[in-house]
Amino acid sequence: MKAIQLSKYNKKLNVKVNEIPIPQVNSNDVLIKVAYAAINPLENLTISGKVRLIQDYKKTFTLGNELSGTIVNIGTEVNEFSVGDSVYTRLPIEKIGSFADYVTVDAKYISLLPNNLDFKTGAAAALTGLTAYQALTEELNIESGKTLFIPGGSGSFGQMAVPIAKSLGLNVIVSGSPRLKKQFINKGVDQYIDYKQENYWDLLSDVDYIIDTLGPSEFDKELSVIKPGGTIVSLINSPNKYFAKKNGFSKLKTKLFSLAGKKFDKKANRKDVNYRFVFVRADGNQLRALSQMIENENIVPDIDPKIFTINDINEALNYAFHHHTNGKVLLNFTDINSIKN
């Protein structure tokens, strides 16, 4: 089978398409024929080696974190899924590899494809959906009726996070591109701030929760609009001591993360604000809960109309990371006319 692999961390996004064996199925695994896999900012971080403190991969390894597809084989201990099931997943961080014709994964990490999603939209739902779900329910410990602000939230993360947050009873404010305002109003956002025309720090105050998608340059501005006792969870700033301890990292990694996140913790503490960092993990139980939410609220992630194949991977990575896309960028691994699409 073909797989997109990395042999050395690099900033030039150099990857290779290699021929490798179809993976073996262990007793708790399922073998999935991949239909589509989504390209995420996480791929950029993985290729460049920026996440190696969290997970350092033994080279050479297959890239890709989320997918949709069809189960073609199951292990002897798998009872809740069958051959022929349409599924989707965010693969466990220690065993990624969705950029391939076939993938094996422990069945505890997958879910049946929601009824309102096809293989295209399903491939774009797991990673951002779980990121939003974990940020909201674990890191922010949200209360219904309170206010969530997502600066820079008009990208693929916000497209999933907004309807999920609304379904959990939050008032949601987003700042983002003017070209996407109507789209987000249709998703139920309570207030949309055009970042080209308005400064959110001039308009907002006493926000309960913030999910940061923009990074260090925005942190002081975010602190200026959140109320004392509030929480900022970042998808992009540095991990901190809290993150390291929660994930059970070694003493060395805990010390390194403590130093990396120290400036964010200090600034947040001065404002009586909690600072958190989230790195989404695979969780089949949460994914199945998310699937129910996706169906009940008819949440459908946006897909960029330009879809690539495995042989176009260099063009696809460049497009995903250096252009204004209209949703998740996908890789097609199958004849979409031969199966559910």
Side-chain angles (χ1 to χ4, degrees), residues 40-65:
N40 291 278
L42 181 53
E43 269 69 64
N44 197 336
L45 299 175
T46 302
I47 295 168
S48 64
K50 291 181 180 178
V51 298
R52 60 186 156 187
L53 267 182
I54 297 175
Q55 180 65 47
D56 192 5
Y57 295 100
K58 182 180 179 181
K59 270 69 81 187
T60 298
F61 67 96
T62 303
L63 293 159
N65 286 274

Side-chain angles (χ1 to χ4, degrees), residues 296-340:
N296 292 343
E297 303 295 329
N298 194 27
I299 300 170
V300 181
D302 294 309
I303 302 301
D304 191 275
K306 192 168 185 177
I307 295 176
F308 299 85
T309 69
I310 190 169
N311 295 320
D312 305 319
I313 184 58
N314 291 320
E315 182 185 354
L317 292 173
N318 179 67
Y319 181 73
F321 302 144
H322 300 121
H323 291 76
H324 291 295
T325 61
N326 292 303
K328 282 276 187 84
V329 177
L330 300 183
L331 296 172
N332 178 10
F333 286 88
T334 188
D335 177 4
I336 61 174
N337 295 314
S338 67
I339 54 178
K340 181 180 177 181

Side-chain angles (χ1 to χ4, degrees), residues 101-256:
D101 289 324
Y102 293 89
V103 170
T104 55
V105 58
D106 192 307
K108 69 182 180 181
Y109 295 121
I110 71 173
S111 171
L112 294 174
L113 197 65
N115 291 328
N116 64 316
L117 300 185
D118 57 28
F119 278 128
K120 290 180 183 177
T121 50
L127 190 144
T128 47
L130 282 174
T131 302
Y133 189 87
Q134 290 170 13
L136 290 164
T137 62
E138 296 179 357
E139 305 299 336
L140 294 176
N141 296 315
I142 58 163
E143 294 180 29
S144 179
K146 292 193 172 183
T147 300
L148 168 70
F149 174 46
I150 310 176
S154 60
S156 59
F157 172 75
Q159 289 164 359
M160 287 293 290
V162 167
I164 291 172
K166 290 298 298 179
S167 72
L168 294 171
L170 293 177
N171 299 309
V172 182
I173 304 169
V174 166
S175 68
S177 169
R179 70 186 177 90
L180 296 170
K181 181 174 182 178
K182 184 176 180 181
Q183 181 184 114
F184 274 80
I185 294 297
N186 291 337
K187 289 181 182 293
V189 71
D190 296 280
Q191 182 179 353
Y192 192 94
I193 299 171
D194 175 352
Y195 82 95
K196 290 188 176 181
Q197 301 291 330
E198 303 168 302
N199 296 323
Y200 68 78
W201 53 91
D202 294 329
L203 300 175
L204 303 179
S205 63
D206 290 333
V207 171
D208 296 292
Y209 315 112
I210 292 176
I211 299 180
D212 163 63
T213 71
L214 297 175
S217 63
E218 292 293 306
F219 195 66
D220 289 341
K221 297 168 186 173
E222 292 165 354
L223 283 173
S224 73
V225 304
I226 195 168
K227 66 171 56 172
T231 301
I232 297 176
V233 57
S234 181
L235 313 182
I236 197 168
N237 285 340
S238 296
N240 60 352
K241 184 177 181 179
Y242 181 91
F243 172 80
K245 286 194 168 185
K246 181 178 179 180
N247 287 276
F249 288 128
S250 67
K251 289 183 178 180
L252 176 58
K253 281 191 176 182
T254 298
K255 184 176 181 179
L256 291 172

